[in-house]
Each structure stands twice: as structure tokens, then as C-alpha cells.
Amino acid sequence: MSTQGSIPDCQLLTCEQSKQTFMHPAPARSPSPRRHILQRHIHQRIAPPFGPVVAPPCCGQALSRLIGWGMGLIDWFRALRPFPTKPHRGGPDDVPTDTFVLGIPLAQAIEAQRQHDRQRASSRSPLAGLRYTDAECRLWRWTDSALDSAIAKVVAEFARLAPSEHEAMRDSLTLEDFYTLFTFVQRCVLVALRNGEADRIPLAFTAIAMVAQARVDWRDLVVAIWLARYAGQRLSAPVAGIAARAAKLAEPETAKALLPDRNKPVNLAEACGYREVVTSEGVALFRTGYQRFSPSADIPAMAFAAALALEAEGYAISDIELATDLPLVWLNADEGSRLAQMVSGFSGCASIHGVPAADPQPESSGQSLLVFIAEAASESDARDVAFAAQGASDAKRTVLGLASGRMCAVIIQRSFMAGTPPLEDMASLERLRPVIEPVLG
């Protein structure tokens, strides 16, 4: 694709759109975790202006990261309400009354881990202390990590164990360890796509085989499997055989997830909620929604350039999402208004999610940055959207609007914690204008 100005060349590889309609999720399992994928960033786009977020009690680094990965079952009707849990009666579907959870599958995984800890003799996990940083967890930009080789050694050791020893190692692993393995799988997938390293695919499947399905959100397990399948198919690896060998190492429930549809082509957007993008730094995975996305401008390149610029301005960017929408709440607009028509006329929209890099506990402060970049139907529409954003600031958020040609950007800095004012005021946020305007062309 063509570039404008200083925007890095960025080619979108997977463009097929899903026309799925969002449905409010039910607690029961479904054949696909697509709903889970769709909900992952709703709390950043819709919920915070309407009420506080109550996070689950601290249960280690994994849960802190899970808040960023997937919020679980989040109410679509513009309010994030945590689910009070049922009284604890010792059953697998119950969790203690002093716990708030963001999704029933995650609550069940937490309780399964607690029961596992009570019933099993403690033994030191080979993954204890091996935890990826937030920067190493992101997929929109590659970051080298020494942990990859350390975890790969543990995974290879698991594969060499006798069948009777697999369960012992798995029993020693914790929920945090399993999510470290999921991150390892994602990183195997990304480096395989970036460098054509097909030997990473068996390693990813073996890491999945180490997971105890009952002690994770089952949807995250399925997404990890599909990511590994996708990368294997892209590199012409014998995915069916690799998955079958991994299933022999897995416990029964994980094996059941590994075996079906091994030869079925994976649609990355529909199955995993990602799109493969080639940036100026190589292949990356951007999250994707299911809104219209057929812009004439190179929005993926613009979003990537904006993310790099924002990191230089003191923000740690966690995700870039394509084919998203711009919620009217950020413009103080109503459904049916002229502004609503302008927003619905966007040919494409991307969002960028981040937190202040200097904030040692962003989960506690709730301070975050949200940027939308969109292509409007006309230059006047882009100007009107930017103008509306300029007037949308209040005591809870600071909003900056920009426009250049048919491109517009809306920058929101706020805290989603009740009673916490935004870190930036309009004067300080204005420093981002000369940073983002050149990206818009």
C-alpha cells in the first residue's frame, strides 16, 4: 500500500470481514469463543464513562494481565458490572462470596486452581518466577525476551518425559503458569510468522498440551490452539500431525480441544480476533473487530505510526485494533444525530490502547489512553467529528479531536476508576497534536 509522509509502509494481509452481530453472552459454553473475542476491549470503548470498574482481588500477575487480555462477560449495555459470585459450597461452579469476577469461565478456573492447591501436595513449578512483561506480551510490535529460551527448555523437557510424568509436571503448574504458556504460544506464533520459523509450531502445540483445561478460561485455550494452527497453515507445516502428537501429551480435556478440525483452514479474524499485518518492523498481529473496514487510506500504517509516536510521548501501547467503531459517548452525541450518521459513514476505524508508561500500577490508578483513527466520508465530516470531540471533555476525561483531509482522530485520556480525575488536562494533551496530525497526512 502507499504511504503518506513519514508513515511506515504497512500491508494488511487478512482482509476478510465477518458480519457477525454481537449478542449478549450466556454463561453456558458455546462451540466458539468469538463472543469472548468481541468483548475484550469493550470496557475500554464503552463501559468506563458510565461507572467504576471493580477488579477481582489480586491473585498474581496473571490476573492483572487477564484484565488487559479479556474482560470476560461484560455487560453490553454501557455499564461494566462485576458478577457477585454464589456462596461457596465446595462445588466446581462456586467461588467464595468475597470474590468479584469478570466472567464465569474465569471464575471457575480460579476456583479450580484453589481446589487443586488444597487437594494436591505442593511442588515447585518449573515455570515459577518466569513471567513476561507487558511489552513482551503485546503482538502489535515484537520485543525480544530472554524468557523465550528458558520457557522453551521447560516445554522441551515436558515433551521428553515419560507419559506417567506428564501429569506430575502439569500438577505443579499454576493458573499464572498456564497464562505464561499462552503468552509463549503467542510469541511462538508471531516469531514463526515474522521469520518463517516453522520449527516453532511444534513447540507452541507442546506448550498448549501442558495446560490443564479446567484451570484456565477455556476460551483462551481454544484461541491459543487456533493461533498455532493458523501459523502452521501459513508456513505449510503438517498441523494435523503436530496437533495429534501434542494431544497424546495432553490431559483429556485439552486433548479434546486439540483434535477437532485439525485440517480446517483458520480464518484468523473470525477464530482469534486478530489480523496479520506487515509493518515497517515486520509482521505483527493487530486485534480486529467486525465493523466495516474498507478505507482508501492506509489506516493500519497510520495506527502503527501513531502507536510508535505515542510510546515516544510516554505511553505504553498494549494493542492496536482494526475494524472497530467510534462510540458516540466520546463525542457527547446521541443515536440518530447528525454526528451519528457521520460516524456510521466511516469507511474504516482503528483504535489504539495504552497506559502511562510511568504509572507503576495502571490497574489500580485506572489511567489509560484511547485513540481512534478513522476515515470519514468527507473532509467536512472529519472536521465536525474532531470539533465534537474537542467539546467532549469533562471532569472524568480529557478529549482531543484532530482532522486532516478525510482522516480524523479522537484522543481520550481518563481513568476508569470512580472518582479519579484524568492525568492529563487539555493543555498537556495538546502536546499530542503535532505528534498525531502528521500521521493523518
Side-chain angles (χ1 to χ4, degrees):
M1 292 185 178
S2 62
T3 60
Q4 298 180 10
S6 60
I7 299 173
D9 185 39
C10 189
Q11 181 183 4
L12 183 66
L13 295 185
T14 53
C15 299
E16 184 174 352
Q17 298 297 298
S18 170
K19 303 299 183 181
Q20 300 296 324
T21 301
F22 183 89
M23 297 293 290
H24 187 63
R29 295 186 181 186
S30 69
S32 166
R34 179 179 295 133
R35 292 174 179 173
H36 181 48
I37 295 166
L38 287 170
Q39 292 149 6
R40 280 179 166 158
H41 290 296
I42 288 173
H43 72 291
Q44 292 183 305
R45 301 190 297 110
I46 295 288
F50 298 89
V53 170
V54 180
C58 179
C59 191
Q61 183 183 17
L63 286 187
S64 173
R65 185 155 295 128
L66 282 174
I67 297 174
W69 281 2
M71 294 297 284
L73 303 179
I74 296 176
D75 187 75
W76 176 247
F77 298 104
R78 294 191 170 184
L80 189 152
R81 298 188 179 96
F83 294 82
T85 60
K86 295 184 286 185
H88 181 241
R89 296 188 296 273
D93 294 331
D94 301 318
V95 294
T97 55
D98 61 350
T99 301
F100 285 91
V101 297
L102 297 170
I104 290 174
L106 178 56
Q108 292 171 335
I110 295 170
E111 177 58 16
Q113 181 63 54
R114 287 179 175 142
Q115 291 194 15
H116 180 84
D117 292 342
R118 289 193 294 264
Q119 296 169 3
R120 303 277 181 168
S122 61
S123 58
R124 180 170 175 80
S125 164
L127 295 177
L130 299 179
R131 298 291 180 260
Y132 287 106
T133 66
D134 290 338
E136 292 165 342
C137 289
R138 64 190 184 184
L139 299 180
W140 71 271
R141 189 185 191 191
W142 177 258
T143 300
D144 290 331
S145 174
L147 287 185
D148 288 341
S149 60
I151 295 172
K153 290 179 181 178
V154 176
V155 174
E157 178 188 352
F158 177 83
R160 290 192 297 267
L161 292 175
S164 59
E165 297 175 300
H166 290 145
E167 184 177 357
M169 180 181 284
R170 187 179 295 111
D171 282 348
S172 73
L173 302 179
T174 66
L175 181 148
E176 287 195 356
D177 294 331
F178 295 142
Y179 277 89
T180 294
L181 287 172
F182 284 153
T183 300
F184 176 75
V185 170
Q186 292 177 333
R187 290 178 60 83
C188 284
V189 166
L190 185 53
V191 76
L193 294 173
R194 288 171 63 85
N195 302 331
E197 298 180 13
D199 59 334
R200 298 295 184 114
I201 306 305
L203 201 60
F205 274 100
T206 303
I208 292 168
M210 297 173 67
V211 173
Q213 185 268 342
R215 289 188 282 143
V216 298
D217 186 324
W218 67 275
R219 299 166 297 186
D220 292 322
L221 173 65
V222 173
V223 170
I225 293 170
W226 281 342
L227 275 173
R229 285 180 184 166
Y230 171 81
Q233 291 171 3
R234 278 270 285 109
L235 299 177
S236 302
V239 173
I242 294 172
R245 288 191 292 273
K248 293 179 180 179
L249 307 176
E251 51 95 40
E253 293 302 316
T254 300
K256 288 180 183 178
L258 280 163
L259 290 173
D261 301 325
R262 284 171 289 162
N263 292 311
K264 182 179 180 180
V266 175
N267 181 310
L268 186 63
E270 288 192 15
C272 304
Y274 288 102
R275 295 187 185 209
E276 185 180 344
V277 176
V278 176
T279 73
S280 59
E281 297 183 356
V283 172
L285 295 177
F286 290 4
R287 292 199 184 276
T288 184
Y290 299 96
Q291 303 298 320
R292 175 190 176 191
F293 198 75
S294 54
S296 58
D298 192 352
I299 289 182
M302 292 180 176
F304 185 76
L308 296 181
L310 290 168
E311 291 216 319
E313 290 295 323
Y315 282 95
I317 303 304
S318 59
D319 276 310
I320 298 174
E321 184 175 359
L322 306 177
T324 186
D325 59 352
L326 172 59
L328 296 177
V329 64
W330 303 125
L331 305 177
N332 281 344
D334 298 320
E335 296 290 345
S337 65
R338 174 62 180 147
L339 275 172
Q341 295 176 13
M342 295 177 187
V343 169
S344 66
F346 287 168
S347 57
C349 182
S351 60
I352 304 167
H353 308 262
V355 297
D359 189 345
Q361 293 293 333
E363 295 87 0
S364 301
S365 71
Q367 297 291 344
S368 63
L369 184 78
L370 180 58
V371 179
F372 294 93
I373 296 177
E375 183 179 71
S378 66
E379 293 186 8
S380 62
D381 282 1
R383 289 193 299 270
D384 288 347
V385 169
F387 182 79
Q390 285 290 117
S393 296
D394 57 28
K396 300 177 182 178
R397 65 196 185 191
T398 305
V399 186
L400 179 66
L402 310 172
S404 177
R406 291 172 55 200
M407 300 303 302
C408 58
V410 177
I411 304 172
I412 306 108
Q413 200 284 304
R414 87 295 188 231
S415 170
F416 56 72
M417 300 302 290
T420 303
L423 189 65
E424 307 244 28
D425 58 21
M426 185 58 74
S428 66
L429 201 62
E430 275 287 342
R431 80 183 190 285
L432 299 182
R433 184 181 296 276
V435 173
I436 302 300
E437 276 186 340
V439 171
L440 302 180

